[in-house]
C-alpha cells in the first residue's frame, strides 16, 4: 500500500503552510488542525497521526511506538516506508480513519490513556475535558 497519496500530501502541506503563516503573521500559537491520516503497525500497537508534511517529506503529528511514551513531533515518511515486519508486512495507512477532532484532542486523550486513541467515546471525553479547562482560564 502506498502510504501517501497526492491528495493526502496536498492536505498535509496545506496544514504546514497555514501553521507557518499564522505564526509569522500574528505570532499566535500554532493552528490546531485535524489529523489528516493515521499510520499503524498491523502486527503491533504503534501508530502515528499526521497533520503536516514539509518539503523534505518530514511529517508532523503524534507518534506512539507502543511503549506508553507518546511524542508530539516530527517523523520521516521514508522511515515509515522502510519498516519491514514479519510476514512481508510493513506500516499501513488506516484507510477508514476519518478525523473529526483536532490534534490537541487526540494528544490529550492519548496522554490520558497512554496510547493513541481512535475510540470516539474517549475522544469525545477528552474534547469535553479540554473545553472545560479552557473555560476555567
Amino acid at each position: 500500500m502506498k502510504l501517501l497519496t497526492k491528495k493526502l500530501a496536498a492536505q498535509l502541506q496545506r496544514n504546514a503552510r497555514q501553521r507557518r503563516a499564522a505564526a509569522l503573521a500574528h505570532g499566535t500559537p500554532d493552528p490546531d488542525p485535524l489529523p489528516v491520516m493515521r499510520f499503524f503497525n498491523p502486527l503491533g500497537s504503534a501508530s502515528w497521526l499526521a497533520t503536516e508534511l514539509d518539503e523534505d517529506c518530514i511529517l508532523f503529528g503524534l507518534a506512539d511506538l507502543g511503549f506508553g511514551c507518546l511524542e508530539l513531533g516530527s517523523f520521516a515518511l521514508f522511515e515509515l516506508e522502510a519498516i519491514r515486519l514479519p510476514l512481508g508486512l510493513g506500516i499501513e495507512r488506516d484507510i477508514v480513519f476519518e478525523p473529526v477532532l483536532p490534534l490537541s484532542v487526540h494528544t490529550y486523550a492519548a496522554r490520558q490513556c497512554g496510547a493513541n486513541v481512535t475510540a470516539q467515546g474517549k475522544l469525545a471525553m477528552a474534547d469535553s475535558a479540554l473545553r472545560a479547562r479552557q473555560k476555567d482560564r
Side-chain angles (χ1 to χ4, degrees):
M1 167 188 289
K2 186 173 182 176
L3 289 183
L4 194 59
T5 65
K6 287 181 182 181
K7 182 179 177 182
L8 292 170
Q11 179 61 50
L12 290 163
Q13 291 167 337
R14 199 168 24 257
N15 284 350
R17 284 192 302 273
Q18 288 173 347
R19 180 188 51 78
R20 287 192 300 269
L24 287 173
H26 309 294
T28 58
D30 294 339
D32 188 14
L34 296 176
V36 174
M37 64 183 49
R38 177 181 175 266
F39 301 110
F40 67 97
N41 174 346
L43 299 177
S45 58
S47 65
W48 300 260
L49 294 175
T51 59
E52 296 178 22
L53 177 70
D54 72 13
E55 54 279 348
D56 296 324
C57 288
I58 304 297
L59 296 154
F60 179 84
L62 182 63
D64 175 7
L65 299 181
F67 305 118
C69 296
L70 299 140
E71 183 174 332
L72 191 60
S74 300
F75 44 96
L77 178 62
F78 71 88
E79 289 180 352
L80 292 179
E81 292 172 333
I83 295 173
R84 295 294 164 246
L85 302 167
L87 308 172
L89 297 173
I91 300 302
E92 296 186 16
R93 178 172 33 95
D94 184 345
I95 60 173
V96 297
F97 177 71
E98 294 205 22
V100 294
L101 295 167
L103 185 62
S104 62
V105 174
H106 285 270
T107 302
Y108 183 84
R111 289 187 172 145
Q112 297 301 309
C113 298
N116 265 342
V117 176
T118 56
Q120 292 302 314
K122 289 185 180 182
L123 288 171
M125 287 189 317
D127 187 38
S128 294
L130 279 175
R131 288 177 193 270
R133 285 177 48 184
Q134 290 171 350
K135 266 188 184 178
D136 292 339
R137 288 183 181 173

